[in-house]
């Protein structure tokens, strides 16, 4: 038996020497990662200090000149404690006023003053801690993620191979009777296990050890510190037992436990990385849709490749099948089908031909096109979507903030509990005491707890994005799950955006077409559905009468939009004449009331009322079904609108809402909202995202409906990109599922720690089992959250789209 074991050990040692467990390419791979993590090229950082580069990853703060909000991705993060460490480091940089970092998405937003600092300054503060900050739109980010995954697979493979060999050498010690194996054979088995543990310690454990060393150097703490301490202590104690078999730690070695829990931890971390990419996959898909370069038509008719940053309004670019559009523009040659699913929520390909408009970030599916650029950069709707989604990816729900706040104190408690367990068991058996402390260090690491909330929230945000619903704040998902009352605006929400002018009332001496031209010229500066309808009708009549140039010459100056009331401005006409006009509700224009059930909007000048326009509106075909579903879910429903009571009552009856109130000013709506909240109700407001700023801000949760809403101006927590009211129900259902899964995750994480910590303290949980438990707990949390990553099921009757003149 002894001869066989010795021969087996020698044979395997020779075999491992021949196959090179640590080849040069692995060492180079490890060195490459160290170089990558040590910092960026100083020249590259200095390039980011060029103000022309800032717009690529930053936006100016409108209310604070000289301040910029930069979106960045962090490399080297592993937990909530890392996010807290980074936030503290960045806030210490002079000129940085605001920092928000998500440990789940590894993204952050930094607000800084260009008068006091530059991007390279606050990026260096991150690198000093061993992390790396990259612009969110970095072209090489995807390749770096692939390299990170490749390195992790290498480490995992080495740990797996060595673990299997070490377990083979450890098996005889578990199966043989005392004294059956000689001391010499036992020593040889231990030496073989030690040799095989070296690549695990100095290659596979490198990510944990480098993070722990960084924490100790900077006097910080992260979740890798207890894990790394457990690894080092186990390896050192086992090494001492190998070199000094008669010493205090010579009774037993734990190389098998060491290699096993390293293997389990790497398995869990690799799977978490893959699952994290899936849960946040939709966010990444939207945030990184633009091409790096485009083919631009030159003055001589040839095509030249140039950076997308140099693209300007008026340029003509060529877009091949499978490519994304680099800007908003109009097709000047070719026809195709486009995919706008992630931008508008429209799941079916849309036909586009010469004269049609395409939007940045959508994909060309079939034909080769030539597109004249009309909007680039921050002016595109895609850029507004990116701003919204980046804000959501770094926001923290209340439950996640609570976990983050307690992360560092909890880790300190883990270290103290481990030390206390070692002190308690030391008099009995020093080796056993050390392994008990190691088990406590590993099993109490709160990885699952820190992932419980953000993993579920990000999975839901990604699923909503794929279904055309943008989330501005993740905390809104938590609030939405508790809603019991929904308040609707009417125009453009329960009714279609497309309205039709059916009748015009005017005062004596004012022609109907003249009143419509004045109203349309003022309305063209507003995005309200009524304003768009008036401008569309004014253009249609002017084209029919051949007076379109005259209409175009009417200029509205000093235009101001009064929320929930109307729009006001000075109309500049021929011969230098000017007329002050107001367009909006009857109260705003002090207009007379006209009988009828249509929506009415009035026009007035300094002399008083000029005209009243009656507009026919069509109730959305899905509105009644949505109302019924919400009522079945126990929701109390209400309509608050600034339109006339007759028109509001008619729509309310059509959709089945009993509580409806018309002729509401913004103050009336806000008072009604506050009254509901004072009665203990949790209220969601559904509007157009522009006209009802105060009530949207005052609601517990708010929705903006319609594709015409400028996302940068929208105050809503959720934006329904496709204009589908059915998405409201699906979002509400998904928010409840999300809160339920978050609670399941939190309960699981708490139950895991409550059951395993006592076992570890009592010495009944070996280190390998602690590593397995820690990896499985995090995996279960992420897998549970992954159930939320499926796109929403939004069913509605598809009607022919309404064609409008822009």
């Amino acid at each position: 038996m002894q001869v066989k074991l010795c021969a087996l050990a020698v044979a395997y040692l020779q075999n491992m020497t021949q196959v090179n467990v640590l080849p040069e390419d692995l060492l180079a791979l490890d060195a490459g990662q160290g170089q990558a993590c040590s910092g960026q090229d100083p020249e590259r950082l200095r390039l980011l200090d060029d103000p022309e580069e800032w717009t690529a990853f930053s936006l100016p703060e409108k209310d604070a000149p000289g301040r910029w909000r930069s979106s960045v991705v962090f490399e080297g993060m592993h937990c909530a404690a890392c996010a807290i460490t980074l936030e503290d480091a960045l806030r210490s940089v002079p000129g940085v006023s605001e920092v928000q970092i998500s440990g789940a998405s590894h993204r952050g937003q930094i607000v800084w003053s260009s008068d006091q600092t530059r991007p390279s300054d606050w990026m260096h503060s991150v690198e000093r801690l061993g992390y790396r900050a990259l612009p969110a739109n970095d072209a090489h980010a995807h390749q770096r993620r692939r390299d990170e995954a490749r390195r992790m697979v290498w480490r995992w493979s080495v740990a797996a191979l060595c673990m299997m060999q070490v377990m083979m050498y450890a098996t005889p010690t578990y199966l043989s009777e005392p004294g059956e194996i000689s001391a010499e054979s036992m020593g040889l088995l231990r030496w073989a296990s030690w040799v095989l543990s070296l690549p695990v310690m100095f290659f596979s454990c490198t990510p944990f050890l480098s993070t722990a060393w960084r924490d100790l150097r900077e006097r910080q703490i992260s979740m890798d510190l207890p894990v790394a301490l457990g690894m080092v202590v186990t390896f050192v104690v086992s090494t001492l037992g190998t070199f000094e078999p008669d010493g205090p730690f010579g009774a037993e070695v734990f190389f098998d436990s060491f290699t096993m829990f390293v293997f389990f931890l790497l398995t869990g971390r690799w799977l978490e990385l893959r699952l994290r990419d899936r849960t946040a996959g939709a966010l990444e898909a939207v945030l990184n849709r633009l091409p790096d370069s485009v083919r631009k038509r030159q003055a001589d008719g040839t095509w030249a490749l140039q950076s997308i940053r140099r693209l300007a309004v008026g340029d003509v670019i060529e877009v091949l099948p499978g490519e994304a559009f680099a800007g908003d523009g109009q097709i000047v040659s070719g026809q195709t089908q486009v995919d706008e699913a992630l931008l508008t929520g429209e799941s079916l390909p849309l036909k586009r031909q010469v004269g049609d408009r395409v939007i940045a970030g959508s994909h060309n599916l079939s034909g080769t096109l030539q597109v004249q650029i009309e909007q680039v950069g921050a002016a595109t709707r895609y850029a507004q979507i990116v701003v919204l989604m980046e804000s959501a990816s770094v926001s923290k729900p209340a439950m996640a903030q609570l976990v983050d706040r307690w992360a560092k104190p909890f880790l300190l408690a883990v270290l103290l509990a481990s030390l206390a367990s070692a002190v308690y068991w030391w008099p009995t058996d020093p080796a056993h005491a050390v392994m008990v402390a190691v088990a406590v260090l590993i099993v109490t690491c709160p990885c699952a707890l820190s992932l419980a909330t953000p993993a579920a929230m990000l999975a839901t945000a990604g699923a909503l994005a794929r279904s055309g619903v943008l989330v501005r704040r993740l905390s809104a998902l938590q609030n939405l799950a508790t809603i019991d009352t929904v308040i609707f605006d009417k125009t453009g929400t329960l009714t279609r955006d497309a309205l039709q002018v059916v009748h015009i009332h005017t005062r004596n001496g004012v022609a109907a077409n003249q009143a419509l031209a004045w109203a349309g010229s003022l309305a063209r500066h507003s995005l309200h559905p009524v304003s768009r309808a008036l401008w569309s009708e004014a253009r249609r009549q002017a084209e029919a009468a051949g007076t379109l140039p005259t209409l175009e010459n009417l200029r509205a100056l000093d235009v101001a939009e009064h929320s929930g009331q109307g729009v006001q401005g000075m109309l500049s006409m021929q011969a230098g004449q000017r007329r002050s006009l107001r367009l909006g509700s009857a109260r705003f224009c002090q207009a007379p009331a006209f009988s009828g059930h249509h929506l009415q909007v009035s026009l007035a000048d300094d002399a008083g009322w000029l005209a009243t326009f009656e507009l026919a509106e069509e109730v959305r075909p899905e509105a009644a079904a949505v109302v019924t579903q919400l009522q079945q879910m126990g929701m109390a429903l209400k309509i608050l609108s600034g339109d006339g009571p007759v028109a509001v009552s008619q729509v309310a009856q059509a959709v089945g809402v009993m509580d409806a109130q018309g002729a509401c000013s913004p103050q009336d709506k806000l008072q009604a909202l506050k009254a509901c909240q004072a009665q203990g109700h949790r209220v969601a407001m559904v509007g157009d995202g522009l006209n009802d700023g105060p009530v949207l801000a005052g609601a517990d949760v708010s929705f903006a409906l319609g594709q015409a809403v400028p996302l940068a101006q929208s105050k809503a927590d959720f934006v329904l990109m496709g204009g589908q009211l059915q998405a409201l129900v699906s979002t509400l259902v998904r928010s409840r599922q999300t809160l339920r899964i978050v609670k399941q995750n939190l309960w699981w994480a708490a139950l895991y720690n409550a059951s395993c910590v006592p076992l570890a303290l009592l010495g009944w949980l070996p280190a390998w089992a602690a590593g397995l438990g820690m990896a499985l707990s995090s995996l279960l949390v992420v897998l549970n959250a992954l159930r939320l990553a499926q796109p929403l099921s939004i069913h509605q009757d598809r009607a022919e789209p309404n064609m409008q003149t822009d």
Side-chain angles (χ1 to χ4, degrees):
M1 175 70 176
Q2 297 175 10
V3 175
K4 288 183 179 180
L5 288 173
C6 292
L8 190 61
V10 171
Y12 264 88
L13 283 174
Q14 292 175 345
N15 182 56
M16 295 304 293
T17 304
Q18 293 171 0
V19 298
N20 268 337
V21 174
L22 269 177
E24 291 182 1
D25 61 335
L26 289 189
L27 293 174
L29 181 67
D30 203 33
Q33 191 216 16
Q35 182 181 3
C37 294
S38 63
Q40 300 185 62
D41 183 1
E43 291 295 330
R44 180 180 174 85
L45 283 182
R46 281 194 288 272
L47 285 175
L48 295 178
D49 289 342
D50 185 352
E52 293 184 0
E53 297 289 331
W54 296 349
T55 55
F57 64 100
S58 308
L59 287 175
E61 293 281 274
K62 294 181 180 179
D63 55 347
R67 289 189 180 274
W68 293 77
R69 180 178 295 271
S70 297
S71 297
V72 294
V73 177
F74 293 96
E75 293 184 350
M77 288 183 60
H78 298 296
C79 62
C82 294
I84 298 172
T85 298
L86 286 171
E87 288 178 349
D88 292 341
L90 287 166
R91 289 194 183 101
S92 66
V93 178
V96 174
S97 58
E98 183 182 337
V99 182
Q100 198 172 18
I101 299 174
S102 168
S105 65
H106 296 189
R107 287 180 167 267
Q109 288 190 336
I110 296 95
V111 178
W112 52 280
S113 172
S114 58
D115 298 330
Q116 297 177 270
T117 187
R118 287 291 188 269
S120 61
D121 297 331
W122 46 264
M123 285 186 176
H124 275 309
S125 72
V126 168
E127 292 185 353
R128 184 176 58 83
L129 297 178
Y131 300 94
R132 191 179 187 187
L134 300 166
N137 67 333
D138 190 89
H140 303 289
H142 179 67
Q143 182 60 41
R144 273 192 294 270
R145 284 198 300 271
R146 293 188 62 182
D147 291 342
E148 179 187 2
R150 178 174 172 267
R151 286 191 295 267
M152 189 167 290
V153 170
W154 270 111
R155 299 183 197 284
W156 176 85
S157 301
V158 170
L161 177 64
C162 294
M163 178 198 68
M164 289 187 290
Q165 307 303 320
V166 171
M167 286 300 299
M168 197 180 100
Y169 294 140
T171 300
T173 63
Y174 294 124
L175 299 181
S176 61
E177 298 294 332
E180 187 176 354
I181 303 178
S182 67
E184 293 80 5
S185 299
M186 185 66 73
L188 181 59
L189 291 174
R190 288 188 177 187
W191 275 97
S193 298
W194 178 76
V195 170
L196 288 167
S197 298
L198 289 176
V200 177
M201 184 67 193
F202 295 107
F203 178 70
S204 298
C205 294
T206 301
F208 304 99
L209 298 178
S210 60
T211 304
W213 175 246
R214 177 193 65 206
D215 291 340
L216 293 174
R217 188 178 66 245
E218 301 296 333
R219 297 180 181 179
Q220 299 287 345
I221 188 171
S222 70
M223 294 183 191
D224 278 354
L225 181 58
V227 173
L229 284 176
M231 294 174 178
V232 171
V233 169
T234 305
F235 181 78
V236 169
V237 168
S238 300
T239 300
L240 291 174
T242 301
F243 281 81
E244 297 183 6
D246 296 328
F249 302 106
E252 187 178 2
V253 294
F254 307 96
F255 292 118
D256 54 340
S257 294
F258 166 69
T259 54
M260 283 180 69
F261 77 69
V262 171
F263 169 74
F264 290 142
L265 291 178
L266 288 174
T267 301
R269 181 156 293 186
W270 179 72
L271 290 175
E272 283 176 34
L273 177 66
R274 296 293 302 273
L275 294 174
R276 188 188 75 209
D277 288 343
R278 286 191 62 186
T279 55
L283 297 176
E284 294 290 336
V286 174
L287 294 174
N288 298 289
R289 286 174 72 90
L290 294 187
D292 298 324
S293 58
V294 295
R295 286 172 299 280
K296 175 186 170 183
R297 188 170 67 189
Q298 306 299 303
D300 59 0
T302 61
W303 299 91
L305 200 65
Q306 73 168 34
S307 170
I308 189 175
R309 298 183 188 179
R310 298 175 57 190
L311 194 63
V313 174
D315 289 346
V316 176
I317 64 172
E318 184 180 45
V319 185
L320 300 178
E323 293 183 342
F325 295 100
D328 295 347
Q330 186 175 28
I331 298 176
V332 295
S333 175
Q335 63 178 5
T336 187
Q337 288 188 318
V338 299
D339 176 12
E340 299 180 355
L342 286 179
L343 302 176
T344 66
E346 176 55 62
S347 59
L348 298 178
L350 303 174
K351 185 178 179 180
R352 293 289 184 265
Q353 55 190 2
V354 174
D356 290 339
R357 284 177 169 80
V358 292
I359 57 178
S362 60
H363 274 99
N364 177 19
L365 297 180
S366 53
T368 299
L369 302 177
Q370 294 181 20
V371 178
Q372 185 171 30
I373 298 299
E374 296 177 339
Q375 299 282 358
V376 294
T380 63
R381 186 169 177 83
Y382 169 79
Q384 299 171 12
I385 293 174
V386 168
V387 171
L388 270 180
M389 299 189 72
E390 285 181 336
S391 175
S393 68
V394 301
S395 64
K396 296 181 182 179
M399 287 185 285
Q401 292 176 3
L402 179 64
V403 172
D404 288 358
R405 191 161 53 246
W406 285 98
K408 286 192 174 183
F410 184 85
L411 289 172
L412 288 173
V414 167
L415 295 176
L416 292 176
S418 176
L419 179 62
S421 63
V423 170
Y424 176 80
W425 285 99
W426 190 270
T428 306
D429 184 350
H432 181 67
V434 170
M435 295 312 297
V436 168
V438 168
V440 173
L441 282 173
I442 297 171
V443 81
T444 53
C445 188
C447 291
L449 198 61
S450 67
L451 287 170
T453 300
M457 295 289 185
L458 282 175
T460 294
L464 290 173
R466 285 196 295 273
S467 304
V469 180
L470 296 187
V471 184
R472 183 185 291 271
R473 288 174 288 273
L474 291 183
S475 57
L477 286 169
Q478 183 178 337
N479 296 336
L480 181 60
T482 62
I483 291 299
D484 60 13
T485 302
V486 179
I487 297 178
F488 289 97
D489 185 26
K490 178 181 72 69
T491 305
T493 303
L494 294 174
T495 61
R496 289 187 182 275
D497 282 352
L499 304 175
Q500 184 179 359
V501 179
V502 294
H503 192 73
I504 302 176
H505 306 272
T506 62
R507 77 183 184 196
N508 293 333
V510 178
N513 61 345
Q514 185 181 45
L516 180 62
W518 292 348
S521 299
L522 188 58
R524 68 185 299 184
H525 296 277
S526 170
L527 289 168
H528 192 276
V530 170
S531 297
R532 297 202 309 274
L534 289 173
W535 172 239
S536 177
E537 180 65 17
R539 281 180 57 89
R540 188 189 67 78
Q541 291 193 14
E543 287 176 349
T547 59
L548 186 58
T550 303
L551 177 65
E552 295 286 356
N553 287 332
L554 295 176
R555 300 293 179 186
L557 308 174
D558 302 325
V559 178
E561 191 160 4
H562 300 271
S563 179
Q565 301 180 69
V567 61
Q568 181 177 5
M570 185 72 66
L571 194 65
S572 176
M573 297 177 287
Q574 296 178 350
Q577 297 180 357
R578 292 192 172 189
R579 184 186 293 268
S580 178
L581 295 175
R582 297 188 307 278
L583 176 69
S585 64
R587 181 189 297 182
F588 182 61
C589 297
Q590 298 180 351
F594 293 90
S595 60
H597 60 273
H598 291 306
L599 169 64
Q600 297 179 4
V601 60
S602 298
L603 179 70
D605 61 6
D606 290 338
W609 171 75
L610 278 172
T612 293
F613 307 91
E614 291 191 27
L615 296 95
E617 52 187 346
E618 180 184 357
V619 175
R620 291 180 179 271
E622 76 273 17
V626 168
V627 166
T628 300
Q629 289 176 315
L630 291 174
Q631 290 171 338
Q632 291 174 348
M633 296 171 67
M635 296 288 161
L637 305 181
K638 188 179 183 70
I639 298 177
L640 297 176
S641 175
D643 299 336
V646 175
V648 173
S649 177
Q650 184 183 24
V651 171
Q653 291 178 7
V655 300
V657 177
M658 298 298 103
D659 189 355
Q661 183 178 345
C664 294
S665 66
Q667 291 74 22
D668 295 335
K669 294 181 180 180
L670 187 59
Q671 289 176 2
L673 173 71
K674 296 297 183 185
C676 285
Q677 292 174 328
Q679 297 172 5
H681 295 292
R682 303 276 294 175
V683 183
M685 177 68 193
V686 187
D688 60 15
L690 282 175
N691 266 352
D692 301 309
V695 69
L696 286 174
D700 297 291
V701 178
S702 53
F703 286 82
L705 192 74
Q707 295 173 284
V709 179
L711 301 178
Q713 300 178 32
S714 173
K715 305 301 181 185
D717 298 312
F718 298 89
V719 179
L720 309 184
M721 296 291 296
Q724 300 175 9
L725 197 59
Q726 183 64 44
L728 172 65
V729 177
S730 301
T731 304
L732 179 58
V733 171
R734 183 57 60 91
S735 71
R736 292 181 174 181
Q737 294 173 346
T738 302
L739 190 60
R740 184 165 60 250
I741 284 183
V742 166
K743 290 179 178 179
Q744 290 173 0
N745 285 346
L746 290 173
W747 273 109
W748 160 250
L751 182 63
Y752 158 74
N753 281 282
S755 58
C756 291
V757 171
L759 295 177
L761 289 172
L762 291 172
W764 295 349
L765 191 70
W768 67 266
L772 178 60
M774 175 187 168
L776 286 179
S777 64
S778 300
L779 262 179
L780 285 175
V781 163
V782 178
L783 284 172
N784 197 28
L786 197 61
R787 295 162 52 196
L788 297 167
Q790 299 301 319
L792 277 66
S793 176
I794 300 177
H795 303 286
Q796 69 169 23
D797 295 332
R798 292 191 175 273
E800 290 297 321
N802 290 318
M803 303 304 294
Q804 299 183 58
T805 303
D806 190 6

